[in-house]
Amino acid sequence: MKKEYPPAIFLMGPTASGKTAAAVALVQALPLEIISVDSALVYRDMDIGTAKPDAATLALAPHHLLDIREPTEAYSAAAFREDALHLMADITARGKIPLLVGGTMLYFRALQQGLNELPQADPALRAELDADMARFGTPYLHQQLAEVDPITAARLSPNDSQRVQRALEIFRLSGQPMSALLHAPAAEPLPYDVLSIALQPSERAGLHQRIALRFEQMVAQGLLDEVRQLRQRYALHPDLPSMRCVGYRQAWQLLDGDIDRQAFMDSGIAATRQLAKRQLTWLRSMPATHVIDCLAMDATTQVMSTVRDWLKRD
């Protein structure tokens, strides 16, 4: 390891890749503390559809950055970076090593590289905006932009479809207005020596089976009841970031009668597959990553060996 920087570990992977199980094993064996890197786990009362660790798991391995926002609130990559840096400093001061675990790749990149650069286009989000544009028109998207980034909206024509779409895309990816990102100071480099581990499937079919099984389990555990209770407890609408999470959006559509139960199941699984595909695309662009097959029977053991070997380096 680089002597001038304290160690930190990134454990990344797509949904259903076994990150939590590996993280719990690591924490029980080594002086680590977990920081969640997940844009959905930050929300209170959203437990089933986010696959939030249960009470027994959290007793074994406490997680930072769970349940820190109401479902009516937003949480951005910039806010995550600030929170994570404070937590990493506290954990290091206690003589432990930060273990950052999750699948929100934008957060990992924001932490490591800062956010003064505009995020790259996201094909799935772009397709979503295309659909909104086709259905409602560019002025509708321009109005949405004006609510979150009035500075950029003021300088764009309501009919400038390409630039309006890009500005909205930037806000939804980063949680920050494009106008703010363009004037942000250069980020300081991350003052840690980072081991990056990626749990990735050796073949997609195996991951897809896991995704389907997990979504079916979420429904059996009460996902629809969870969304019903959220709608009763909070002033929610389907455009909130919390309700745009995979599973919650489809549940909302079913409860509103827009789709039937079979379409809910099919679209929920398909959306989760698309999420995993985007996560894997991000992972391929991440630097210096140790890749471990998440479908391997000994994946957790491989993660443990990789971490132990890295910590022993001179």
Side-chain angles (χ1 to χ4, degrees):
M1 281 184 291
K2 301 173 185 176
K3 296 295 185 182
E4 65 268 30
Y5 291 139
I9 299 165
F10 288 1
L11 181 57
M12 305 174 287
T15 185
S17 60
K19 299 181 295 295
T20 298
V24 170
L26 286 170
V27 167
Q28 291 183 289
L30 298 166
L32 313 175
E33 284 190 35
I34 296 173
I35 299 174
S36 170
V37 187
D38 191 298
S39 59
L41 293 182
V42 300
Y43 294 115
R44 299 186 188 101
D45 298 319
M46 291 175 56
D47 302 330
I48 297 172
T50 63
K52 191 174 292 177
D54 60 20
T57 301
L58 293 175
L60 291 173
H63 287 49
H64 296 286
L65 298 186
L66 299 188
D67 301 326
I68 60 172
R69 289 289 190 277
E70 300 286 309
T72 53
E73 298 175 318
Y75 189 67
S76 68
F80 166 79
R81 189 175 199 272
E82 182 178 357
D83 290 343
L85 285 172
H86 284 305
L87 286 166
M88 292 172 78
D90 290 345
I91 292 167
T92 300
R94 289 195 291 272
K96 292 190 175 182
I97 298 170
L99 171 61
L100 292 100
V101 182
T104 302
M105 304 307 162
L106 176 64
Y107 287 8
F108 280 113
R109 179 169 288 184
L111 181 59
Q112 202 155 27
Q113 301 178 14
L115 273 170
N116 53 327
E117 294 184 2
L118 300 182
Q120 294 182 350
D122 181 292
L125 177 55
R126 183 67 60 87
E128 193 176 295
L129 291 169
D130 282 340
D132 285 348
M133 191 176 298
R135 184 177 179 187
F136 301 113
T138 304
Y140 169 79
L141 294 186
H142 186 270
Q143 183 179 356
Q144 286 192 320
L145 178 63
E147 294 176 2
V148 298
D149 188 357
I151 295 174
T152 300
R155 66 178 179 80
L156 296 180
S157 165
N159 292 308
D160 189 342
S161 59
Q162 183 175 355
R163 289 183 174 85
V164 168
Q165 185 187 61
R166 176 59 177 153
L168 263 181
E169 179 182 52
I170 287 168
F171 176 78
R172 291 187 183 176
L173 286 171
S174 70
Q176 296 188 91
M178 185 171 76
S179 54
L181 289 175
L182 289 173
H183 293 91
E188 293 292 323
L190 183 65
Y192 289 85
D193 183 24
V194 176
L195 167 66
S196 293
I197 299 174
L199 286 168
Q200 298 185 41
S202 53
E203 44 90 17
R204 294 286 178 91
L207 183 64
H208 288 172
Q209 289 175 355
R210 285 191 183 184
I211 286 170
L213 177 61
R214 189 162 81 161
F215 191 78
E216 291 164 1
Q217 290 172 338
M218 287 176 176
V219 175
Q221 290 164 5
L223 173 59
L224 291 171
D225 285 338
E226 180 173 88
V227 178
R228 285 191 189 95
Q229 292 167 11
L230 287 166
R231 285 162 53 132
Q232 293 171 0
R233 190 173 302 149
Y234 299 98
L236 299 175
H237 59 80
D239 290 328
L240 283 168
S242 61
M243 292 299 102
R244 295 173 70 85
C245 291
V246 169
Y248 291 89
R249 177 186 300 181
Q250 291 75 24
W252 188 290
Q253 292 172 328
L254 175 60
L255 293 176
D256 272 359
D258 295 333
I259 57 176
D260 62 21
R261 189 176 181 87
Q262 188 59 53
F264 159 66
M265 296 297 297
D266 292 343
S267 60
I269 292 170
T272 310
R273 286 185 179 185
Q274 286 298 315
L275 170 62
K277 183 178 179 181
R278 294 196 300 273
Q279 290 169 319
L280 289 167
T281 299
W282 274 94
L283 275 173
R284 286 193 289 271
S285 70
M286 301 294 278
T289 300
H290 293 259
V291 177
I292 292 172
D293 180 10
C294 66
L295 303 177
M297 295 295 292
D298 64 341
T300 295
T301 302
Q302 290 186 52
V303 171
M304 182 74 70
S305 297
T306 301
V307 172
R308 287 186 184 278
D309 292 345
W310 184 76
L311 291 174
K312 291 176 183 176
R313 292 169 58 197
D314 294 329

